[in-house]
Amino acid sequence: MGYPRSYYATPGELRYRPWALDITPDDAGNPPFLFDVFIDPYAGPAAMEWQTGDWDPALRFWSLNNFDPQLGEWLKGMDTSRPSIMAAREMAVQSQRWGADSTTFLETKAAAPSMYWIEPGDLAWRPATAAGTAAIKAEIVQLQQLMTDDRERYLAEIEAQADGLADYMTAFIGADGVRHPWTIELINCGLAMTNVAYMRWKSLYKRVRPSVLCPALALPFGPPAHPAFPSGHSTAGHFIALLLLEIPGLLKRFGKSVTDPVTLQTQTGMAVVRKDLDGTQPINAPLLWLAARLAKNRERLGAHYASDSFAGRHLAATLWHTLLHETRANKKIDCPSLDAVIVRAQAEWPV
């Protein structure tokens, strides 16, 4: 997500293929897909990981252990006069606060309750043990169920969202380039910044795609030629939603709703805080609902696991909090270009 699909492989290799979506046996009794086939990523002498050669050639610089905070490779071909690109660069040079390595930058909730990035359930798949294998297999079974029950009905939407996440966000809030140019640029900021962040995180965790372990998932297109964890669609969708909710005019329409258990009165348009994105429960805010739907559709496609979706949600929440709401100087990420775009976007939506 965030890169043209042509970046992922030679033309045509990852094109749409209309697999039969009716999950029933044929007239000879053959099963539609061999769901029983599962490859244990931890059964060999070394755990299966996404290798450098598995990355799309245009993205292999992300596989290098030494992160380039100047983003020399990623910025080739980018318009560096755009505020969104400058915001991504400002964030990148502070990578020690969001992307140092997989053991220090992702402080768990238990270890750092005041500043956590992900939750234990996000990494249940990671131990190279029987428990890790069981967690992965349970997620594969969930994806098989989504393939059987949901994929056919959602496929048109899934394909449109593959490279059209920003378009869905823009249409949902009713923005256009004439009346809301800075809101569009704020969405671009969210895309640029999360492209940098989640590609870095993917390069640290190197999680293989579910269709590598279960070929029966038979994706109609894809999977993208980069690792699964965290979900790019989930990270970008939730982060952009949180940025847009910084605009009071949008917060009033798309903010959190809470119903008082005693009076049963519902208060709408409430601000979202970091804690609201904890766990895996639905969030009663329209923009965050859309972000969750974008992530779930990638599960319906079979492109990534549920834990990838929730990790993206948690990572996006902490990145947003660290950029805009962190009060501790030694934790905050300063991004003046993003701040300036938010102020201009806020003026486009009178309350």
Side-chain angles (χ1 to χ4, degrees), residues 88-133:
R89 296 179 72 181
E90 290 168 353
M91 184 191 77
V93 296
Q94 300 168 78
S95 58
Q96 75 282 0
R97 296 191 178 174
W98 61 266
D101 61 61
S102 61
T103 58
T104 59
F105 92 97
L106 291 180
E107 297 173 325
T108 65
K109 187 174 182 179
S114 64
M115 179 58 176
Y116 52 92
W117 287 81
I118 57 175
E119 300 179 17
D122 300 336
L123 294 176
W125 60 273
R126 204 166 184 231
T129 62
T133 298

Side-chain angles (χ1 to χ4, degrees), residues 2-350:
Y3 296 90
R5 198 176 301 162
S6 59
Y7 278 20
Y8 295 138
T10 55
E13 185 177 335
L14 297 182
R15 61 179 170 78
Y16 175 75
R17 292 175 176 82
W19 289 96
L21 296 173
D22 185 6
I23 313 297
T24 56
D26 63 21
D27 57 3
N30 294 312
F33 296 101
L34 297 176
F35 280 161
D36 290 340
V37 175
F38 170 72
I39 301 167
D40 184 350
Y42 302 132
M48 291 179 65
E49 289 187 338
W50 202 265
Q51 303 296 314
T52 299
D54 299 328
W55 285 78
D56 180 275
L59 301 175
R60 284 180 186 166
F61 59 88
W62 289 106
S63 68
L64 302 177
N65 289 330
N66 295 322
F67 175 69
D68 173 14
Q70 301 301 324
L71 299 173
E73 289 295 326
W74 182 71
L75 287 171
K76 287 179 179 178
M78 299 288 180
D79 181 357
T80 54
S81 69
R82 296 285 297 273
S84 56
I85 302 303
M86 200 63 219
R89 296 179 72 181
E90 290 168 353
M91 184 191 77
V93 296
Q94 300 168 78
S95 58
Q96 75 282 0
R97 296 191 178 174
W98 61 266
D101 61 61
S102 61
T103 58
T104 59
F105 92 97
L106 291 180
E107 297 173 325
T108 65
K109 187 174 182 179
S114 64
M115 179 58 176
Y116 52 92
W117 287 81
I118 57 175
E119 300 179 17
D122 300 336
L123 294 176
W125 60 273
R126 204 166 184 231
T129 62
T133 298
I136 294 169
K137 193 161 188 179
E139 290 199 280
I140 293 288
V141 171
Q142 286 181 324
L143 296 180
Q144 292 171 345
Q145 194 67 48
L146 288 172
M147 178 183 180
T148 303
D149 294 343
D150 287 10
R151 189 185 293 182
E152 180 180 16
R153 292 184 292 123
Y154 286 88
L155 190 55
E157 181 181 339
I158 292 168
E159 186 181 19
Q161 290 170 354
D163 297 316
L165 181 151
D167 181 60
Y168 269 75
M169 287 284 185
T170 303
F172 192 71
I173 62 173
D176 64 70
V178 175
R179 295 177 301 148
H180 310 105
W182 287 104
T183 303
I184 303 299
E185 189 62 16
L186 182 59
I187 293 173
N188 290 336
C189 284
L191 282 175
M193 296 170 79
T194 51
N195 279 341
V196 172
Y198 72 66
M199 280 296 183
R200 170 58 176 168
W201 295 329
K202 284 174 181 288
S203 73
L204 293 173
Y205 284 95
K206 304 177 183 177
R207 189 180 194 184
V208 296
R209 296 276 175 175
S211 56
V212 173
L213 306 181
C214 178
L217 286 172
L219 275 63
F221 56 88
H226 48 71
F229 183 93
S231 159
H233 276 71
S234 180
T235 308
H238 284 92
F239 185 68
I240 291 171
L242 291 166
L243 291 182
L244 292 172
L245 291 175
E246 294 291 323
I247 300 172
L250 294 180
L251 177 66
K252 186 175 181 179
R253 293 170 57 196
F254 302 109
K256 183 175 62 175
S257 298
V258 176
T259 301
D260 187 283
V262 178
T263 65
L264 299 182
Q265 292 183 333
T266 300
Q267 187 175 358
T268 61
M270 297 175 64
V272 174
V273 298
R274 170 65 186 87
K275 193 175 184 301
D276 291 327
L277 283 88
D278 284 357
T280 60
Q281 294 302 308
I283 306 167
N284 195 20
L287 269 169
L288 291 166
W289 165 87
L290 176 58
R293 185 181 179 103
L294 291 164
K296 193 67 178 182
N297 278 343
R298 301 302 284 177
E299 296 170 39
R300 293 181 172 114
L301 177 65
H304 71 236
Y305 313 80
S307 57
D308 301 334
S309 294
F310 290 118
R313 162 175 156 172
H314 302 147
L315 289 161
T318 308
L319 183 63
W320 158 77
H321 177 86
T322 308
L323 280 158
L324 299 176
H325 298 283
E326 180 57 71
T327 58
R328 294 169 292 178
N330 65 331
K331 294 287 187 180
K332 181 175 173 57
I333 300 172
D334 291 310
C335 191
S337 293
L338 175 65
D339 296 339
V341 172
I342 290 174
V343 169
R344 291 177 170 89
Q346 288 170 338
E348 295 175 346
W349 300 87

